């Protein structure tokens, strides 16, 4: 080191190199002892060969497992969607039957009142039995049907369905005694039909299956068209 220091000093004196300060000489000495720095290796540079092979072998398995989980979740969602479609179809069927019978009873009640109770009495009695049967089926399906948190509109529509039992019995008594006008009877049945149609419309909005959605839209359009036609007949009967 003394020789090296002397050579550096001589070069500095001769003007061949700039003067070397004491701190710089110390850095040079440390560099000679330690040698050049080694480049940093990768993450796996300090991992044994066997462990590297194991990691490489496991990675495809992990990817396959993740893909399998995604497939399972997708199939599960499809299954849930299919189950929900069946539940919707069941409730929509009983709703449709109730709508049809209420519409028929609305028309028959209007005719009975218009005749002063002289005609359509037997037909009205038979129609009431059919209406009661349809409403009983609807009550069972309504009790078994469970809405989901994301189906707020459907929950509201189902909850808004009127409990028609006592009110319907009261209206029928008034119709039999000719204590109800045709307008009063028509309004009563129309309100209940509208509440039922609102349930089907809410089911349409809650459906995310494109094919099912198309069928349900067509279905609700048929129900609405029939209802509007029934109202027109009722209005015509009232005017006549």
């Amino acid at each position: 080191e003394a020789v090296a220091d002397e050579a550096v000093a001589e070069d500095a004196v001769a003007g061949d190199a700039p003067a070397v300060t004491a701190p710089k000489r110390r850095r040079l000495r440390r560099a000679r002892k330690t040698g050049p720095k080694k480049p940093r290796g990768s993450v796996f540079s300090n991992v044994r060969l066997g462990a590297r092979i194991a990691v490489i072998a496991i990675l495809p398995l992990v990817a396959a497992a993740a893909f399998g989980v995604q497939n399972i979740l997708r199939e599960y969602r499809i299954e849930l969607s299919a189950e929900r479609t069946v539940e919707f179809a069941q409730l929509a069927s009983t709703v449709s039957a109730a709508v049809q019978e209420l519409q028929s009873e609305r028309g028959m009640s209007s005719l009975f009142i218009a005749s002063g109770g002289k005609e359509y009495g037997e037909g009205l009695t038979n129609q009431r039995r059919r209406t009661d049967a349809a409403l009983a089926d609807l009550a069972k399906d309504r009790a078994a049907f469970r809405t989901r948190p994301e189906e707020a509109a459907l929950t509201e529509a189902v909850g808004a369905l009127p409990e028609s039992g006592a009110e319907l019995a009261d209206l029928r008594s008034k119709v039999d005694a000719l204590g109800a006008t045709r307008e009063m009877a028509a309004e009563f049945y129309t309100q209940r039909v509208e509440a039922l149609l609102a349930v089907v419309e809410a089911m349409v909005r809650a459906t995310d299956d494109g094919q099912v959605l198309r069928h349900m839209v067509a279905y609700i359009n048929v129900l609405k068209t029939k209802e509007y036609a029934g109202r027109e007949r009722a209005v015509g009967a009232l005017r006549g």
Side-chain angles (χ1 to χ4, degrees), residues 151-175:
E151 298 170 347
L154 180 56
T155 300
E156 181 179 355
V158 172
L161 286 176
E163 299 292 343
S164 300
E167 293 179 355
L168 181 58
D170 181 61
L171 176 71
R172 287 171 173 175
S173 297
K174 290 178 179 179
V175 169

Side-chain angles (χ1 to χ4, degrees), residues 14-30:
D16 296 331
V20 180
T21 61
K24 188 171 183 180
R25 282 199 296 271
R26 284 195 294 271
R27 288 197 297 271
L28 291 172
R29 291 170 186 168
R30 283 197 298 270

